[in-house]
Amino acid sequence: MALPAVRQSTEQIHRLLRGDILAAVLRPGEAMSEARMAVRFGVSRTPVREAFKRLVEEGFLMVVPQVGTFVAPIDLAAVHDSQFVRETLECRTVALAARHADDAGKAALEQNVRQQERDLASGDRISFFRHDEAFHAKLAKLAGHPSVWSLIEGVKAQLDRVRCLSLESASWPTMILAQHREIMDCVITGNEARAEAAMRAHLRTVFDAIETIARDQVDAFAGSATPARLD
C-alpha cells in the first residue's frame, strides 16, 4: 500500500535535511525556516513541520522559543560515545580483516584507496567521504562481520558531522588518506597487531578535529570542545 502523500513527503524531506546537516551543507547554528523549506521542496508547510519535529527529536535541530528553529550544535557526548563504539568494534574488526582477507578482498581494498586518491585530486569532498565510508565497510566484510558496519552506522551521526567539517581543511583529507593507506598495507601483509594500532590512531584523530574546529567555529559544539580521551 502506498504511503499517504504527506507522509511520503515528510520522509523525503527528513532524509534530505538530515543528509545536509550531516554533510555540513546546513551548518551548526544556521536558521531554519518552514516557509523557506516548503518552497525549496515544493510542498505545503505540513510535511516540513513534521520533518522538523523528527529532526528536533533526533538532536539535529533545536527550537529557541520566541526566536526560531536552528541547526543544533554537534553533541559532544554523542561524539564521544560513538567514538568509543567505533574504536571498540573496528580495532577488532581490522585485525580479523588482516587475518582473513583473500586476494579478491585485498584488490577491492586497493581499488577503494585509489578512488580516494582520485577524489582528493579532484577536490570532491563528498565523494571522498563516501569512499571513506566504503573503506571501513569493506574491512568489516573482509573480517567476516559485515553487519558490524551497519551497527556502527546506526550510532555515529554526530561523529560524522565532525568528520565532514574536518574535511574542509586542506590538510585533513591528505592525512586521512595516508592513514587509510597504512591500514590497507597492514591488512594486505596480514599484520594484525599493526593493523589494530593503525586503526586506533586513525579513529582518534577525531579529537584533533574537534579541537581544530572549535578554534575556528566557536558555536559548532554543545558542551566542552575537549572531550575526555579514551585511554
Side-chain angles (χ1 to χ4, degrees):
M1 182 180 296
L3 291 172
V6 170
R7 183 177 171 189
Q8 190 174 34
S9 295
T10 298
E11 294 290 340
Q12 294 169 343
I13 294 166
H14 171 266
R15 183 178 67 254
L16 291 169
L17 291 179
R18 188 178 188 273
D20 283 351
I21 292 170
L22 290 179
V25 175
L26 295 172
R27 324 261 317 170
E30 185 170 338
M32 298 290 288
S33 162
E34 287 183 9
R36 189 174 74 246
M37 290 300 150
V39 171
R40 171 185 170 182
F41 294 113
V43 297
S44 71
R45 292 176 63 167
T46 299
V48 174
R49 186 176 301 114
E50 290 300 313
F52 275 24
K53 182 180 178 181
R54 287 180 58 182
L55 291 166
V56 169
E57 291 170 350
E58 293 169 349
F60 293 113
L61 295 182
M62 63 178 182
V63 177
V64 180
Q66 312 302 319
V67 179
T69 301
F70 302 86
V71 177
I74 297 168
D75 183 343
L76 278 177
V79 171
H80 189 262
D81 288 345
S82 57
Q83 178 63 23
F84 178 81
V85 171
R86 285 201 73 173
E87 186 170 324
T88 301
L89 293 176
E90 286 205 73
C91 286
R92 176 60 177 158
T93 297
V94 76
L96 290 174
R99 182 185 303 177
H100 297 303
D102 57 15
D103 289 342
K106 293 174 183 178
L109 208 59
E110 289 181 306
Q111 183 178 8
N112 174 275
V113 170
R114 285 196 295 272
Q115 181 59 57
Q116 291 181 51
E117 291 169 349
R118 289 192 287 270
D119 294 337
L120 190 59
S122 65
D124 191 335
R125 181 171 63 93
I126 294 175
S127 184
F128 182 85
F129 182 82
R130 186 171 65 250
H131 289 107
D132 180 334
E133 295 280 279
F135 177 81
H136 288 270
K138 287 180 187 298
L139 289 172
K141 184 176 180 180
L142 291 179
H145 298 285
S147 62
V148 166
W149 183 247
S150 297
L151 177 62
I152 291 170
E153 283 186 307
V155 300
K156 67 184 184 69
Q158 295 291 336
L159 176 61
D160 283 345
R161 297 179 70 189
V162 176
R163 293 169 61 208
C164 284
L165 284 172
S166 71
L167 292 177
E168 295 177 356
S169 165
S171 62
W172 206 267
T174 301
M175 179 187 68
I176 296 301
L177 177 58
Q179 292 173 346
H180 284 173
R181 287 197 190 104
E182 181 181 5
I183 292 167
M184 178 190 69
D185 289 342
C186 293
V187 170
I188 288 174
T189 58
N191 193 322
E192 296 179 39
R194 276 193 59 216
E196 183 173 341
M199 178 63 77
R200 179 169 288 107
H202 172 58
L203 294 176
R204 291 193 176 191
T205 57
V206 69
F207 295 115
D208 296 325
I210 289 171
E211 292 171 4
T212 300
I213 295 166
R215 284 196 300 268
D216 298 334
Q217 303 183 49
V218 177
D219 297 326
F221 298 100
S224 170
T226 53
R229 300 272 173 167
L230 297 180
D231 296 318

